Amino acid sequence: MTQTKAGGRRWPLLLALLPLILGLALYGQLWRGWAAQFETTLAAWFPGQPVSVSGFPYRLEAELTGVQLAHAGVAGLRASVDRVRVNRGPWRPELTVLQSEGVELAAMLPGLAPLVTAPAGTASLKLESGRLARLSIVLPGATGRIGLSSDGPAFAADNLELHAREIEPGATGAATDPSLPQRGQLVIGSEGLRIGNGAAISLAGDAKLRGAVRPGDWLRWAADGGSVDLVISGRDATGELFALDGTLVPVGSGLRLAGTLRTVCPLAVQAALAGTAAPTEQRLRAAVQLTIETALPAGGAVALRGLPADLATRPRRAQLPACPRLR
């Protein structure tokens, strides 16, 4: 009689747990399907790499070693990573997060060949309808080469951030804008940036790519009037040192930069561009606006015009630290 009562009590308990058991079994099947899809995606992203996805039940995760990626062509990209952990949420296939060790990134463009290395880095990748909605890369302790020429100056930074996105034509700007539509954007931010033997500064850059076609096809993009709107500013703990507003356009096998440069340290900026020693200079009370023009690779030729004849007698901020050495 006692055994019958005990057995009777177990059935209601099992019946109560049955929906949970069935739900877990169904979720397990769904997770295995998501994992298989993620493995297929990673196999396409990292060809030749063995891929095995784990992380049940909360995430999809894979770890890869010795990753080498390259996109050849007139505009080339290369990435090398010693070890990378790739993960995404089961319900967010559009967003992928990467945590890497031993990172090296390089770009090979007409007139430019920047190189960045870092002991570790994180990145998030968001894709929408086959387009790059956002790629964000954070590289603490980054070092590398500016890449304005084959022997461009080296740099080191406490932290370097790169944010890129592709933009649908018509998503920005007015319909009456006479310039070509914006196709993409690259935002660069750096703290504690030192170029060569220069002082540490903070750098912010914003590059907007315009063109009749997507920027992936460099030759066609350049032939159809592609250009880049470029805004770069640098500051130290005291305030803004310089701000560049210019345009990059393809010319032959390189690029041409033309624009204006506002600065309170014109002699320091001039010396940095020329690669010479900067004289001691106090910051101006009112910034001067100069014009800048150069071809990349520059070969050391940078035209900086507009230095005022009365520069030596202009009011200075003597109570502030002198202009820093920028290179």
Side-chain angles (χ1 to χ4, degrees):
M1 187 70 177
T2 303
Q3 290 180 349
T4 303
K5 288 183 179 180
R9 285 195 298 269
R10 282 198 296 268
W11 278 110
L13 177 61
L14 291 174
L15 289 174
L17 292 175
L18 184 59
L20 177 61
I21 296 170
L22 293 176
L24 289 174
L26 176 61
Y27 179 78
Q29 290 292 329
L30 291 172
W31 187 92
R32 280 190 286 272
W34 294 325
Q37 292 174 359
F38 194 33
E39 287 179 351
T40 301
T41 298
L42 294 180
W45 288 357
F46 306 101
Q49 283 279 345
V51 178
S52 177
V53 172
S54 60
F56 181 84
Y58 303 113
R59 64 187 184 278
L60 304 170
E61 183 174 281
E63 189 167 304
L64 310 175
T65 58
V67 173
Q68 301 282 340
L69 299 176
H71 171 71
V74 178
L77 299 172
R78 178 174 57 82
S80 173
V81 179
D82 292 342
R83 183 183 301 274
V84 59
R85 180 179 294 111
V86 190
N87 67 75
R88 63 171 50 161
W91 301 282
R92 297 201 65 186
E94 78 283 358
L95 180 63
T96 305
V97 177
L98 302 92
Q99 298 171 304
S100 305
E101 299 175 7
V103 182
E104 181 175 292
L105 305 175
M108 291 72 69
L109 305 171
L112 293 170
L115 171 70
V116 179
T117 64
T122 59
S124 63
L125 172 65
K126 186 176 182 181
L127 300 173
E128 292 179 351
S129 302
R131 289 182 176 269
L132 178 64
R134 187 188 72 248
L135 172 62
S136 295
I137 302 173
V138 179
L139 300 170
T143 60
R145 183 180 65 240
I146 297 294
L148 298 179
S149 61
S150 58
D151 58 346
F155 76 86
D158 295 339
N159 192 62
L160 176 64
E161 295 189 16
L162 307 170
H163 306 275
R165 63 176 179 140
E166 190 175 359
I167 298 172
E168 285 275 14
T172 61
T176 57
D177 188 347
S179 60
L180 291 173
Q182 187 177 336
R183 294 283 183 169
Q185 183 179 24
L186 173 65
V187 176
I188 300 174
S190 182
E191 298 294 332
L193 174 68
R194 298 168 296 281
I195 301 175
N197 295 320
I201 64 172
S202 298
L203 188 75
D206 187 344
K208 295 182 174 65
L209 282 72
R210 297 185 180 275
V213 297
R214 296 176 70 177
D217 186 341
W218 175 277
L219 289 178
R220 188 180 169 195
W221 173 80
D224 289 345
S227 65
V228 180
D229 299 337
L230 191 64
V231 177
I232 300 175
S233 63
R235 60 189 303 116
D236 64 2
T238 303
E240 184 179 87
L241 300 168
F242 61 86
L244 169 68
D245 189 342
T247 302
L248 278 170
V249 294
V251 176
S253 59
L255 295 165
R256 175 180 170 272
L257 169 66
T260 60
L261 193 151
R262 185 183 70 250
T263 177
V264 295
C265 297
L267 298 182
V269 169
Q270 184 181 52
L273 294 174
T276 59
T280 301
E281 179 184 21
Q282 294 298 135
R283 301 165 200 248
L284 291 169
R285 287 190 175 275
V288 296
Q289 183 165 295
L290 313 175
T291 62
I292 183 172
E293 184 174 351
T294 185
L296 303 174
V302 180
L304 190 64
R305 302 185 181 92
L307 280 174
D310 63 346
L311 185 62
T313 60
R314 291 206 171 191
R316 305 275 175 168
R317 295 187 178 274
Q319 75 277 16
L320 297 181
C323 293
R325 182 186 201 176
L326 298 177
R327 178 177 169 183

